[in-house]
Amino acid sequence: MKSNWIRHLFNLPYRRSTHSEMIEQLLKKCPPSHESPIFIEIGAGFTTLTLAEIATNYNAVVYSCDNNHDKVEDLQKHLKHNAGIHFMVGDSLEKLSEIKKQHEHIHFVFFDSAPSAMHTFNEFKILENCFNAGSCILIDNAALPEEKALLTPCRKGKIIVPYLLASPFWKVTGHPHAGDSMVSATLMSEPNYADPAYELTGWIDSWKYATPKDSPNL
């Protein structure tokens, strides 16, 4: 039994959430609205076991993409009859293109492959047209622009996060104390334009003070 102070520390809001916990929380917040939804993870691991459990609750089909044969074989040993998991071994861009050909709609994607901003963005672009209102994604090694206390360099999110923030249809949320610093996004049915909260006060220039005195109309 945990002592009171250990239990208190464990429940503090800044306690780091695991990758699996974040997936569980996100899918609980954005549950699929249709039968047999499609879940994809790019980068197999403990999250594969979590998705296998969650998939049974929603009758979901799960694709797990990874280029490490040994890791996939080890995971298969821990999953009973693969538990509805379809393993795709090889380059993620090629495997995602194959999945896209088979499914018109995708509900959830966990981006956690190579620590490359461009590679992660290319993965997203392959699947972008398959997302519907209510679809959600989770990106590891990512952070919002204003986040300062980073757990990692957040390489994977440096292109995809600004892209999502620029869209009026994606609701973007930072989770700096989850995984290796994570960002989630949910596709909305209606656009939501320009959130003033994204303004970084430290980056605002002094344009109004730089206007020449002899040009008051500039």
Side-chain angles (χ1 to χ4, degrees):
M1 181 180 294
K2 295 186 179 72
S3 64
N4 290 335
W5 72 270
I6 291 178
R7 187 180 296 109
H8 172 70
L9 288 175
F10 190 81
N11 291 324
L12 284 175
Y14 55 75
R15 182 183 69 84
R16 180 176 175 183
S17 298
T18 67
H19 300 73
S20 293
E21 287 174 334
M22 275 304 306
I23 289 176
E24 292 174 342
Q25 293 171 23
L26 186 59
L27 287 174
K28 184 177 181 180
K29 184 178 179 180
C30 306
S33 59
H34 52 279
E35 297 181 359
S36 299
I38 306 301
F39 298 165
I40 301 174
E41 69 166 353
I42 312 169
F46 287 114
T47 54
T48 310
L49 307 179
T50 300
L51 282 171
E53 294 181 4
I54 297 176
T56 59
N57 299 328
Y58 297 113
N59 191 33
V61 176
V62 180
Y63 290 92
S64 179
C65 304
D66 203 291
N67 59 6
N68 188 324
H69 290 79
D70 295 335
K71 186 199 297 185
V72 170
E73 289 181 2
D74 187 56
L75 284 168
Q76 288 175 322
K77 295 176 183 178
H78 290 81
L79 291 168
K80 296 180 180 180
H81 307 295
N82 285 350
I85 303 289
H86 299 273
F87 287 99
M88 311 283 284
V89 182
D91 179 77
S92 62
L93 300 180
E94 295 178 1
K95 299 307 175 182
L96 292 176
S97 295
E98 294 178 14
I99 296 172
K100 181 179 180 179
K101 292 178 181 178
Q102 300 178 48
H103 301 284
E104 185 178 356
H105 305 300
I106 295 171
H107 180 74
F108 170 75
V109 181
F110 176 43
F111 293 92
D112 191 23
S113 60
S116 162
M118 198 66 221
H119 191 82
T120 301
F121 182 65
N122 286 335
E123 291 171 339
F124 172 81
K125 290 298 290 181
I126 289 175
L127 302 174
E128 185 174 18
N129 292 334
C130 297
F131 296 121
N132 295 326
S135 294
C136 54
I137 65 175
L138 184 63
I139 311 158
D140 197 24
N141 299 110
L144 296 181
E146 68 268 24
E147 184 58 51
K148 300 297 187 297
L150 302 180
L151 299 174
T152 70
C154 297
R155 298 186 185 90
K156 299 173 189 174
K158 289 188 180 298
I159 297 177
I160 185 175
V161 171
Y163 180 85
L164 294 170
L165 288 172
S167 168
F169 285 95
W170 284 97
K171 181 179 180 181
V172 186
T173 306
H175 310 278
H177 301 294
D180 298 306
S181 187
M182 310 179 92
V183 168
S184 65
T186 304
L187 187 62
M188 300 181 294
S189 58
E190 299 293 334
N192 181 24
Y193 293 98
D195 185 348
Y198 291 135
E199 175 69 273
L200 306 184
T201 55
W203 292 3
I204 299 175
D205 58 29
S206 302
W207 60 270
K208 63 180 179 180
Y209 302 110
T211 303
K213 294 180 180 180
D214 57 347
S215 302
N217 295 324
L218 290 180

